[in-house]
Amino acid sequence: MDLFEYAEDLDFGDIHFKVNPKTGLRAIVALHNLTLGPAIGGCRFLEYDSSDHAVRDAMRLARGMTYKSAITRVPHGGGKSVVIRPKNMSDAQRVEIMEEFGEFVDSFGGAYITAEDSGTTVADMDIIATRTEHVLGTSTNVASSGDPSPVTARGVLHGIQAAVKYKYDRDDLAGLRVAVQGVGSVGYHLAKYLHELGAELIVTDINQDALKRCEREFHAAIVAPEAIYSAQADIFAPCALGASINDSSIAQLTCDIVAGSANNQLAEDRHGAELRARNILYAPDYVINAGGLIQVVADLAGEDADWARAKTEGIYDSLIEIFRRADSDGLPTGEVTDRIVEEMLGLK
Ligand code: NAD
C-alpha cells in the first residue's frame, strides 16, 4: 500500500521527519491522535532495511498508543518515534543523535512525550533530557516510577479475573491451571500473584534460572517452550514475545482463556476470529497490559499510588464490557475493542 494511503487507512495524523547528514540523524515522530491529550510513546532506535519500513513502524506503533491510552481512559493521545540506527555507529555519534532527537522532541512543545523503547536506554533518555523536558524514563524519574512490571502483572491478574468471571462465573482462581509463557519481569510477578490466589502453574521460559525460581517459590510445573501451548490448562498467559497466537499454536491450545502481558499476541487479526470460533476467550493485549502505562501516567500527572491502583483495577471492568459486547455483536474481542475506541474518538 502507498505510504499516504497507509497513513489514511490508520486515521493519521501528523508524521514529522528530521534529518542531519552530518550526524547521521534520521528521525520520525508520528503523532497519531491528540484528541484526549498529549501523545505518549517510546522511541525506537533500530537498524531498518528501508526508510519506508521505519516510517510504517512509527505509524503503526503510534496508532497502537492512541488505542491503548483511550481504552485505558488516560488523558493522552498516541505517538511514537523511530530513530534509524546508523550502521557502525560510534559512542560519540550516538550522543549527538540523541541530543538532536531531544531538540526534535522539544519542537512539539509537549504535544509529544518520549520514553524508552526497543534499542533505547535510560542513558539515551538522560541525553534527550538535556534538550527537552518532555521525556520519561530518565535516571531521575526511573527512580521515582520504578519498574513497571509488577503493576503490569497486577493489571494482567485483574484481566484474568475478569475473563474467569465471564467464562466460568467464578470470583476465585483456586485450582485453575494457568500456563505462563515467559517468566521474566512481568511473568514472574504474575505467577506470584496467581500462586497466592491458589492457581496451579505450568511455566516455560528459555532462561533456566527463571524457571527454577518459579518451581522453588510457586511449585510450578515446568515444560519445554514448544510444549506450553498443548499443556492442559484453563488459561494461557503469553508473557514473552509477540505473535504467539498463530496457526500452529491455536491448533494446540487446550485452554478456555488467553490472557497475558505480551504485546501483539495475535500473529494476524484473523487469529482473533479463530480464537472466537474455538470458543476461547481472548483478553486483547493492549487492554490487559496497560498497567505500565498507568504507572507512567500517574507519575506524569502527580497522581498517587491509590489512583494507579484504582485505574489498574479498572482493567477488569473494561474487559467485562468488551467480552459482553463481543458476544452481543458476534465479533472477536480485539475488533470490538478497536470499535469502542473509534467510537470514543470519532474515528472511521
Ligand atoms: P522480559 O524480557 O523481562 O521477560 C520475557 C521472558 O520471556 C524472559 O524471561 C525470556 O527469557 C522469556 N522468553 C523469551 N523467548 C521465549 C520463548 N520462546 N519461550 C518462552 N519464554 C521466552 O520482558 P517483560 O518486561 O516481562 O515483558 C514481557 C512481555 O510483556 C513483552 O511482550 C512486553 O512487551 C510486554 N509488556 C511488558 C510490560 C512491562 O511493564 N514490562 C508492559 C506492557 C507489555
Side-chain angles (χ1 to χ4, degrees):
M1 197 189 283
D2 167 84
L3 203 55
F4 276 103
E5 282 173 15
Y6 185 66
E8 282 164 7
D9 197 50
L10 297 183
D11 291 305
F12 263 87
D14 299 351
I15 303 141
H16 303 259
F17 295 88
K18 187 172 170 106
V19 290
N20 184 347
K22 287 195 195 117
T23 57
L25 176 83
R26 288 181 170 184
I28 305 143
V29 170
L31 300 180
H32 178 259
N33 188 300
L34 306 182
T35 306
L36 299 178
I40 292 191
C43 170
R44 289 210 162 170
F45 188 48
L46 303 173
E47 286 185 18
Y48 280 86
D49 50 15
S50 75
S51 312
D52 188 83
H53 181 192
V55 177
R56 284 171 202 258
D57 214 18
M59 285 198 266
R60 184 180 55 81
L61 295 164
R63 176 182 182 270
M65 288 307 297
T66 295
Y67 280 61
K68 185 168 187 163
S69 293
I71 200 74
T72 311
R73 275 104 176 153
V74 292
H76 286 282
K80 205 86 180 185
S81 50
V82 166
V83 179
I84 300 176
R85 190 186 164 106
K87 289 191 171 59
N88 309 317
M89 175 186 55
S90 69
D91 289 348
Q93 190 183 5
R94 183 176 190 130
V95 171
E96 280 180 337
I97 286 175
M98 289 301 157
E99 284 172 349
E100 284 196 295
F101 176 67
E103 286 166 17
F104 191 23
V105 171
D106 202 54
S107 70
F108 300 103
Y112 171 58
I113 302 159
T114 198
E116 231 184 293
D117 203 291
S118 307
T120 46
T121 62
V122 174
D124 293 327
M125 296 306 120
D126 283 346
I127 299 167
I128 293 168
T130 63
R131 305 301 161 107
T132 184
E133 57 181 285
H134 306 296
V135 53
L136 298 165
T138 62
S139 49
T140 350
N141 60 28
V142 150
S144 74
S145 56
D147 174 11
S149 309
V151 182
T152 302
R154 184 62 70 185
V156 175
L157 176 72
H158 293 314
I160 289 177
Q161 288 170 320
V164 164
K165 176 70 179 174
Y166 194 78
K167 193 80 184 169
Y168 304 133
D169 195 22
R170 276 181 62 167
D171 292 313
D172 70 302
L173 302 180
L176 287 175
R177 292 167 64 86
V178 188
V180 184
Q181 180 183 44
V183 280
S185 308
V186 180
Y188 167 78
H189 285 98
L190 177 64
K192 178 169 179 282
Y193 302 149
L194 290 167
H195 174 67
E196 285 165 2
L197 294 175
E200 288 177 29
L201 296 167
I202 304 155
V203 299
T204 194
D205 203 290
I206 50 172
N207 176 338
Q208 295 307 312
D209 293 338
L211 287 175
K212 285 196 190 109
R213 189 174 172 197
C214 288
E215 186 178 40
R216 195 173 60 241
E217 296 182 18
F218 317 133
H219 316 296
I222 292 171
V223 297
E226 60 281 7
I228 196 72
Y229 304 111
S230 59
Q232 291 299 311
D234 303 295
I235 299 150
F236 173 54
C239 299
L241 306 165
S244 63
I245 304 297
N246 50 48
D247 290 334
S248 157
S249 64
I250 287 183
Q252 299 173 60
L253 289 177
T254 67
C255 60
D256 296 317
I257 292 166
V258 172
S261 74
N263 279 313
N264 305 318
Q265 291 171 30
L266 304 179
E268 295 172 42
D269 286 348
R270 68 183 172 85
H271 293 116
E274 188 59 34
L275 288 175
R276 181 169 174 79
R278 289 171 187 253
N279 205 18
I280 298 174
L281 185 62
Y282 168 59
D285 43 19
Y286 72 83
V287 184
I288 194 169
N289 73 14
L293 171 68
I294 291 169
Q295 177 162 323
V296 163
V297 170
D299 281 350
L300 200 59
E303 299 284 1
D304 62 10
D306 288 344
W307 181 91
R309 204 171 300 116
K311 263 277 176 234
T312 308
E313 280 171 14
I315 290 173
Y316 182 104
D317 289 337
S318 292
L319 283 171
I320 295 281
E321 179 196 349
I322 289 163
F323 296 152
R324 283 199 185 122
R325 180 140 167 211
D327 279 342
S328 69
D329 293 1
L331 289 172
T333 50
E335 215 175 305
V336 158
T337 310
D338 289 353
R339 284 192 184 191
I340 292 172
V341 171
E342 285 153 12
E343 285 163 13
M344 283 169 76
L345 298 177
L347 300 174
K348 300 283 174 196

